[in-house]
Amino acid sequence: MSIPSVQLACAIRRQALEMVHAARASHIGGVLSMADLLAVLYTEVLRVRPGEPQWPERDRFILSKGHCCAGVYAALALRGFFPLEELMTYGCDGSRLMTHISHKVPGVEFSTGSLGHGLPFGCGKALAAKRQHKDWRTFVMLSDGELDEGSNWEAILFAPHHRLDNLVTIVDYNKIQSLGAISQVIELAPLADKFRAFRWSVREVDGHDHKAIGEGFRTIPWEGGKPSCLIAHTIKGKGVSFMENELVWHYRSPDDAQLRAALDELGN
């Protein structure tokens, strides 16, 4: 049964809050900022089969910002890749739902944790598909702070050189990284111009506007022979008023009262 993307986004946020709270884990701010992107990807864009996670013709989705895995785990469980009840084992001893994303989980292509690894790996997957004459696509979700890593810029050079128009990079551009605002740590602006200078096709969207996100993905690739970069302007902590644009929620876990308040705000 299909689920509307707006409904899925709310469910992802609710499940992730419960998971992070129960595990006394962190990174909820970055999970909430990308929830709408995940919801559109898993309802309208990615060609996947929940009952057949290793389907050879599936699109590959790679979460390079692996610390925000609670959102992807929630999306996968809600889509039926594994039982919903397993989400509450997140971060527990012996659980396959590790607090940085793990390929042991059905629907996860690649384990990430150290930032700057997802896009280079994604380039390799996209190149393999080209050389094998396969139609599946590779999508890589990056954080903005992660773009401080030089390995990403090597991959950003590599992809257009090999004409990887089956590769899509999504930047969760929430303007806050672990220790401060992007503008204070290492300024990325003008980010779109940087990608264009590296010969990517680039679009910018409101990362919480489901219609705009869906339209952005609908005509991939935007230019033949060029990889695509969707820069999604988002709000860290989106959906929970006291978490929005607050650096502290990069690392803090909500307590009981904060969890109740957040779930009340999100509704059903």
Side-chain angles (χ1 to χ4, degrees):
M1 180 184 297
S2 61
I3 177 173
S5 63
V6 172
Q7 184 179 341
L8 180 59
C10 181
I12 289 170
R13 288 186 167 99
R14 292 180 64 88
Q15 291 289 344
L17 280 159
E18 296 268 19
M19 293 159 64
V20 170
H21 168 73
R24 295 294 184 263
S26 53
H27 307 304
I28 190 62
V31 172
L32 297 178
S33 69
M34 70 176 187
D36 296 296
L37 295 163
L38 290 174
V40 175
L41 282 166
Y42 279 99
T43 56
E44 301 178 20
V45 180
L46 295 175
R47 298 192 295 251
V48 293
R49 293 179 178 176
E52 192 180 348
Q54 294 301 312
W55 176 45
E57 301 307 312
R58 71 191 182 280
D59 287 334
R60 275 62 168 173
F61 174 73
I62 298 160
L63 181 71
S64 193
K65 47 178 285 185
H67 53 289
C68 292
C69 59
V72 174
Y73 293 156
L76 291 171
L78 288 158
R79 280 297 318 275
F81 281 83
F82 58 89
L84 201 61
E85 295 76 19
E86 189 176 348
L87 291 178
M88 294 315 293
T89 70
Y90 172 71
C92 295
D93 288 346
S95 173
R96 59 183 177 175
L97 303 185
M98 302 177 186
T99 55
H100 281 68
I101 201 159
S102 171
H103 67 276
K104 295 180 180 180
V105 178
V108 175
E109 298 290 340
F110 185 55
S111 299
T112 59
S114 296
L115 298 175
H117 290 180
L119 186 56
F121 179 79
C123 284
K125 299 297 283 186
L127 183 61
K130 284 282 188 183
R131 292 187 173 177
Q132 295 171 24
H133 306 289
K134 300 294 185 181
D135 292 332
W136 50 265
R137 305 161 299 172
T138 299
F139 294 77
V140 181
M141 177 86 77
L142 299 168
S143 66
D144 44 13
E146 181 180 10
L147 287 171
D148 294 351
E149 299 286 353
S151 53
N152 278 319
W153 295 98
E154 295 176 34
I156 292 166
L157 276 170
F158 180 94
H161 178 79
H162 291 278
R163 299 178 61 81
L164 300 182
D165 57 5
N166 58 345
L167 174 67
V168 183
T169 290
I170 307 148
V171 181
D172 179 16
Y173 201 12
N174 62 37
K175 319 299 189 302
I176 297 174
Q177 59 188 99
S178 59
L179 300 178
I182 296 294
S183 59
Q184 296 171 328
V185 180
I186 297 182
E187 179 61 88
L188 288 174
L191 184 57
D193 289 344
K194 288 182 172 70
F195 271 92
R196 291 189 182 104
F198 280 64
R199 297 184 294 144
W200 285 62
S201 185
V202 183
R203 293 188 183 182
E204 297 184 73
V205 297
D206 176 345
H208 304 301
D209 183 332
H210 289 227
K211 182 179 179 181
I213 297 166
E215 289 175 351
F217 285 129
R218 197 160 291 122
T219 54
I220 293 291
W222 301 318
E223 296 181 65
K226 288 187 175 184
S228 302
C229 176
L230 186 76
I231 297 175
H233 294 273
T234 61
I235 296 171
K236 196 143 188 166
K238 176 67 175 178
V240 179
S241 61
F242 60 87
M243 294 183 178
E244 290 187 358
N245 285 319
E246 293 291 339
L247 173 63
V248 68
W249 293 105
H250 189 88
Y251 288 120
R252 179 177 290 178
S253 174
D255 61 25
D256 291 350
Q258 289 165 333
L259 175 65
R260 286 193 299 271
L263 293 177
D264 285 347
E265 276 197 40
L266 288 168
N268 294 314

